[in-house]
Amino acid sequence: MNFLRNRFIKIFSMIVVIVLGLLLLSSFCISLIGKSYINNNAEELLGRKVTVGDISVNLFTGNISLDSFDLFEPDNHSIFVHIDKVNSKISLPSVFSSLIDVKTLSFYGLDITVTQADSIYNFSDIINKFSNDSEESTESGSIPLKIENIDIKNSNIHYKDLVGGAEYNLDSFSLFVPGIDLSNLDKLGATLKFLDGGSLSSSVDYNSRNNKYYVKLDIDKLNVNSFATHIKPYINFEAIEGVLSTTLQIVADKDHILDFSLTGQGSLTNMSISEYYEGKVMGIDSLAFTLKEFNVTNNSLIFSKLFAYHPYINYIIDKNNSNCFDRLFHTTESGSEEIQSDNTSDENSDFKFIISDFEMSEGEITYSDYTIKPEPFIYNIKKIIAKSRNFDFDTINRITSTGVYMNNGEGRITFEGKINDLTNSKILLDLERLPLTDFSNYSVYLFGYPITGGTVNVSSEIIIKENGLEGINTFDFNKPTFAKKLKDYTPEINVPLKLGLYCIKNRKGIAHLVLPISGNIDNPEFSFKNAVFHGFGNLILKCATSPFRIFSRNHDDSDE
């Protein structure tokens, strides 16, 4: 949207010149006469119908205000530009000089609708008219106008490509521009200060030989909450926070607004997303990136480097078995289904997303399950490290991460597969020395036994092919100990847990279990968690009911 905003500078400048010209004309007339003259004669000047409301002029201070301004489309029915209120202060001596100096200019309720059909915009006729009427001025690329302290509030910009079908909306935005000099449109610069915090400095060079714009954008400490209304159709959040700083370079085609290439670097700090019921559910302390290419025409987004420091996720399952991320990414606003369907089109399926060098450190995941009784299960994984080279959406990637699990446990997870096709992937999991007491609440919920001691090593290999999941999970319980079974509580699975584990312990006090898991991940009834729980319960029951066969097998293995 930053490029789109810069692309509108020229049309914005034209609007400013028109509005100020009309206001200056009215300053030499009685307000009612000026209003009548503008409404009756502006069409001859612009080639478009114009209507204005009440005009107030103070010739002593240079203050001019206008209530309501409408510039129509050529059909004289649809409105191209609407402004609720305009206030300005003009340096009166500058009116008689070669450069008009506007000290303050404020717009309230500015609404612009821009359409494009190939290289023709819905304001091209106005530009052509002024180009024909003032050829010399156009060749010099200058508008004798300097504007300071531009204040824009509660405004909207709408863009639609009538051929390609793309639509962009910048709704309810407010910003402050310290100053802009329109005396050279080929070399144009501006600084925008956003009301929510942060600023954007831009410079634009235009090459008339190749019709290319060369834009430099420096964003300094911009609050991402400024984009909240644009993110809302995709993420159903309560609040979004963060600070964005970037240095970007854009090369754009004058005749095709979406034909541009974006490069640069930047950072995002203190980013967080809050869900309506659970508060902050995800965020990151710092994200630094080097952007090699972002090109809409080529459908490509390529990062040379992407470094994430302390990203965190709070995954919460409430008592009704509803998790916070289902709510967060389930949009209910009108038009969201249409947006989602557009994103799955054949055209977007060719989207190229590459990260040449990815690294994450100090990651953290907190998993909270409030469906279990009598106490919820809360588990924390911290100090997560992950690395990947040449990460590509369209190829098989290998991502390995390590972390510290709750209280001193360690683990490694390796993922192999395509991120955009999880129906065919492989996951390897190796966890060591996990304290069993961390899982005591699950043990009580499932079997009725609190865990008092012991550790467990877990090794899993999960292979997914065409949504079909096949997994082998190996558990080595080292000297597990339990308290007495809770009275007046009915567990989910009624098995003799202590007896079952005792029967399969070897001489070293290790209980070895192999648990196969299978299912279809596309089936809404399938739950990996429940499959593990019930499979584990069935294994324990078999061990308890066939103790001699299991006991003999485990002790023979230990002797080997």
Side-chain angles (χ1 to χ4, degrees), residues 275-323:
E275 197 258 339
Y276 283 96
Y277 297 99
E278 306 295 350
K280 291 183 180 180
V281 294
M282 64 187 303
I284 187 169
D285 283 4
S286 176
L287 178 69
F289 63 87
T290 299
L291 181 62
K292 183 178 181 180
E293 178 187 69
F294 173 57
N295 191 300
V296 176
T297 304
N298 296 337
N299 259 349
S300 61
L301 177 60
I302 303 174
F303 290 95
S304 299
K305 294 183 179 180
L306 190 66
F307 178 75
Y309 175 77
H310 191 223
Y312 59 88
I313 292 176
N314 295 322
Y315 189 90
I316 303 170
I317 305 175
D318 63 24
K319 294 180 180 179
N320 298 318
N321 203 28
S322 173
N323 72 74

Side-chain angles (χ1 to χ4, degrees), residues 348-353 391-397 415 417-425:
N348 287 332
S349 64
D350 296 330
F351 182 74
K352 181 190 295 184
F353 181 78
F391 175 89
D392 190 335
F393 256 24
D394 295 325
T395 62
I396 295 177
N397 301 279
F415 169 85
K418 294 182 180 180
I419 298 298
N420 62 351
D421 183 20
L422 298 179
T423 61
N424 295 278
S425 55

Side-chain angles (χ1 to χ4, degrees), residues 61-95:
T61 62
N63 290 329
I64 305 174
S65 64
L66 182 151
D67 290 329
S68 180
F69 170 88
D70 287 310
L71 175 61
F72 287 79
E73 298 281 5
D75 61 10
N76 288 341
H77 295 290
S78 304
I79 296 177
F80 168 42
V81 178
H82 170 79
I83 309 173
D84 287 343
K85 181 83 174 179
V86 180
N87 291 309
S88 67
K89 182 176 182 179
I90 301 175
S91 173
L92 293 179
S94 71
V95 175

Side-chain angles (χ1 to χ4, degrees), residues 538-559:
N538 291 333
L539 271 180
I540 294 297
L541 183 61
K542 288 180 181 180
C543 294
T545 55
S546 305
F548 296 105
R549 178 170 61 86
I550 302 295
F551 180 85
S552 175
R553 186 184 68 186
N554 277 275
H555 279 257
D556 288 342
D557 293 342
S558 66
D559 291 340

Side-chain angles (χ1 to χ4, degrees), residues 128-142:
N128 292 336
K129 180 177 179 61
F130 278 91
S131 296
N132 295 332
D133 292 344
S134 183
E135 185 176 339
E136 181 179 350
S137 176
T138 304
E139 289 179 356
S140 65
S142 66

Side-chain angles (χ1 to χ4, degrees), residues 65 78 121 158 260 276 383 415 433 444 465 467 506 515:
S65 64
S78 304
Y121 294 87
H158 314 284
F260 69 90
Y276 283 96
K383 297 186 179 299
F415 169 85
R433 300 186 302 279
V444 171
K465 291 183 178 180
N467 287 320
N506 61 21
L515 175 63

